[in-house]
Amino acid sequence: VNLRALTSWVGIARLFAVVLSCLTFSLVASTGRFGGPYGTWCMFTWCFCFAVTLLVLLLELLELYSLLPLSWDDFTSAFSMLAALMVFTSSVVFPATFISSPCSSNQCARQAVATTASCLCFLAYAVEVALTRAKPGDISSFLSTVPGLLKVFEAYVACLIFSLLDRYSGEPGLMWCVAVYSICFIITLLIIIFTIGRCLTYIPCPLEKMLVGYNFLALLMYLTATVLWPLYSFRGQSRPDPCDRNCWWNKHLGITFLTIFNFIAYLVDLVYSTRMVFL
């Protein structure tokens, strides 16, 4: 038994994440108000993060992770980054969807406490990411470096974009943007999977330079999407009135901002990757 898995700073952060995620989904489940796609997503996030983090703790406590055919450091780094992003999204979506003002009932109080616990759970995962991130000059697993963590961020943002896609067929500019999102997502996801599965060593070319080339190509593609998506989405069309959260205009505006976020992420990724390879 490796007690350091629970007593180290990373282990303590994971324990907090387990307790807080359990508290969050328990409080939300007790209210009975988590229906619809947004509520289902939030409950899935908290339950998924709770289960995987608990499994990680058990495997490290019993030192069984070495038996798994994967890169454990890459897996835990990628998961902590993914969990932080998922819990952060749920911490924003849940109160915006289910908590109404004024908040005076017992049910609303439990929802507010659940939101607070979700925010603290996000901080626990963010601390884990900070503790496990490779420092400059360290020889570490790829997904614990800044470019590796950015790969997880880029794939997650692409998933959010896919969840908002609506009314894009028939417009060549919008269809090109969807192709950009899909191609970059698939390649980024393959890089993450191959890294965790220790398959990158079988690629018959310099991996670091290949990643720099891919980041540069993805940056150019996202640059075109950053220009074309709002141009073709809002050209000659004003915001409908009324426009609820399922309104196409709001969804396209969300995709516009997410595209900008991913463009910035690929830019930072390219800068860091170039420094790692050439400097």
Side-chain angles (χ1 to χ4, degrees):
V1 176
N2 179 22
L3 292 178
R4 183 168 173 75
L6 303 179
T7 57
S8 65
W9 287 114
V10 174
I12 293 172
R14 288 171 179 164
L15 285 173
F16 271 105
V18 167
V19 173
L20 290 167
S21 58
C22 181
L23 176 63
T24 303
F25 73 70
S26 299
L27 286 170
V28 174
S30 69
T31 65
R33 289 197 61 199
F34 53 89
Y38 295 108
T40 303
W41 161 255
C42 293
M43 282 294 287
F44 167 77
T45 294
W46 296 318
C47 295
F48 171 75
C49 293
F50 166 79
V52 177
T53 306
L54 183 61
L55 180 62
V56 168
L57 282 172
L58 290 175
L59 289 174
E60 292 207 343
L61 180 65
L62 301 177
E63 295 187 326
L64 297 176
Y65 61 89
S66 58
L67 303 177
L68 300 176
L70 51 82
S71 174
W72 183 251
D73 290 337
D74 283 311
F75 170 76
T76 53
S77 297
F79 169 72
S80 60
M81 183 65 176
L82 177 64
L85 294 170
M86 292 176 67
V87 174
F88 174 77
T89 306
S90 298
S91 300
V92 174
V93 170
F94 179 76
T97 306
F98 293 98
I99 298 182
S100 57
S101 182
C103 184
S104 56
S105 64
N106 178 265
Q107 182 184 71
C108 185
R110 280 180 285 173
Q111 290 174 329
V113 174
T115 301
T116 304
S118 182
C119 293
L120 294 174
C121 185
F122 159 70
L123 290 178
Y125 281 117
V127 169
E128 182 183 348
V129 172
L131 291 173
T132 57
R133 184 177 68 85
K135 305 299 186 293
D138 284 356
I139 300 175
S140 186
S141 54
F142 171 69
L143 291 181
S144 64
T145 62
V146 172
L149 295 174
L150 284 171
K151 286 287 181 289
V152 181
F153 177 83
E154 292 153 4
Y156 182 74
V157 171
C159 289
L160 294 181
I161 290 174
F162 294 143
S163 70
L164 295 175
L165 280 176
D166 187 20
R167 293 180 56 177
Y168 62 87
S169 59
E171 285 283 358
L174 297 184
M175 294 178 70
W176 162 254
C177 294
V178 174
V180 169
Y181 305 142
S182 302
I183 293 170
C184 294
F185 169 74
I186 292 171
I187 297 177
T188 302
L189 184 62
L190 287 176
I191 292 172
I192 296 172
I193 293 174
F194 286 173
T195 302
I196 294 175
R198 297 174 178 171
C199 299
L200 292 178
T201 54
Y202 299 107
I203 298 178
C205 59
L207 176 64
E208 296 82 2
K209 295 182 179 180
M210 184 191 71
L211 290 177
V212 171
Y214 163 67
N215 289 333
F216 180 71
L217 179 61
L219 180 68
L220 292 179
M221 294 174 69
Y222 259 91
L223 177 60
T224 62
T226 303
V227 175
L228 293 178
W229 182 266
L231 177 64
Y232 281 90
S233 292
F234 305 114
R235 183 180 56 182
Q237 301 188 70
S238 58
R239 188 173 188 269
D241 186 22
C243 187
D244 57 15
R245 61 174 175 262
N246 292 317
C247 174
W248 70 267
W249 198 93
N250 287 344
K251 291 181 178 180
H252 283 215
L253 183 63
I255 292 174
T256 300
F257 282 105
L258 291 172
T259 302
I260 295 172
F261 292 158
N262 243 4
F263 170 74
I264 296 173
Y266 277 108
L267 176 61
V268 177
D269 196 352
L270 177 62
V271 172
Y272 267 90
S273 300
T274 303
R275 289 181 60 188
M276 289 175 62
V277 173
F278 299 104
L279 301 179

